[in-house]
Amino acid sequence: MTSSPVDRLPPLTPPGSPGTPALPWPLLQSIAAVANAPLTSIAEELRKALAPYLASSALVIFTEDCTGRPQKKAGLESIISGVSIEELDSLRAALSGEEPWVGDAVIAAKERPVLAMKYLSSRALLVLTDPVVPDSEAGNAEAGADIAKYLWHLAARRIHEKVADAPPAYLLESRAASAERLRVTSELVDQHATTLEIVAGALRSTAMDDAAARAAATDLVAKALVRLRTLSDRTTDLIEEPVARAFERLREDLLPLTRFSGVEVQFVEPPLNGRALPGEVAHAARAIVRGLLLAMLDQPEVRRVRAQWDCDGENLLINVRDDGGGTLAADASSLGRLDRRVQALDGKMQVDVMPGWGTDVSVTLPLDAPQAAPADVSAWKLGSRELEVLQHLASGQRNRSIAGALNISENTVKFHVGNIFRKMGVTSRTEAIALATSIGLR
């Protein structure tokens, strides 16, 4: 039987209460708010839920489950707009275990007091800046920390599960956000790398007399270049994952299950030179194989399961087969949920149940985002110039490039973009690109 997120959490005892009496009603409301929050507002709901026990100036969640938007933030704008993936990744790497850590860390380019916690199952990270235990909880700080950990684990599990059940619209938006972030990062890398290379060349020039100064400056510039390239590679890793590495993560995820189930699980690895997987595909593929394995292990007489990945250049090909009696129903609810996940990525799943011989499931996941046929955009009531601007937006161009292409000023482009957002009912560039792309506008 599959348990809910709350069922799987450790028992929660209210502060100052012996045994396990009824939970305080405000805490129950907080648990419900976090559990039911959509991905776009889960950070805000978690911050509100934590406030009575652990207040903060800002709350940041860093999770690779959401490849398009790995940061979920709430609080002071000066902090949440400045925090970087590099800062969060460095902090996460320094933590061990899931216990809360309190200390000083660089967040939003400034060293400040933080409380940080990891969630090992999905490698998610929670960061609270300027954490304060309210006066009402001052005498019960330990219990407040326990409740904070409980709520964080609930939020992390809900994020993981919500991404697993993500609808097609979310996946399209996530891919658009990923592509946009990669493009912007690449531009920044090229710009700063060129600048630093020029500085390094000048400092290496023999026209400068102070050799020691040149050597020191050259060393600093070289380190800055390495750091910048590392940041670019890290961002790319969130968007694409080598197929062999993605499969190895699957094997690591399933190791505890395979170790204690008594069932032999054979892993047939994909070719090492296979095409890299988009982040959404890699994450979905691991979740699908985990779900299939759990469904197969629920059958009696299963002694062996084989999981295989392959890549034909356009699709990730997954095959999972057991040696049971073929008792897994093709219309089982567990398989239906996985099939919906496959369809969300425009993929296909085929289930072959062979009585007496086992169950064989094949899944095909396209590596490229689904291409929708061009649709009528008249519902948005865009003017001819606004439609031109939107087409340039959908192709990934920035305001300056659009202005040059249309021979108008950058301020005029901004004016048109604002009108486009209003007419399309979106609030960001990424949403507009995702919506336009989803109907085939290029």
Side-chain angles (χ1 to χ4, degrees), residues 385-386 389 408 411-421:
R385 180 63 85 181
E386 291 169 344
V389 172
I408 57 179
N411 283 335
T412 302
V413 173
K414 292 179 181 178
F415 174 77
H416 287 313
V417 169
N419 284 339
I420 291 169
F421 286 1

Side-chain angles (χ1 to χ4, degrees), residues 199-209 214 218:
V199 172
L203 292 178
R204 286 195 299 266
S205 171
T206 56
M208 296 184 67
D209 296 330
R214 288 201 309 273
T218 300

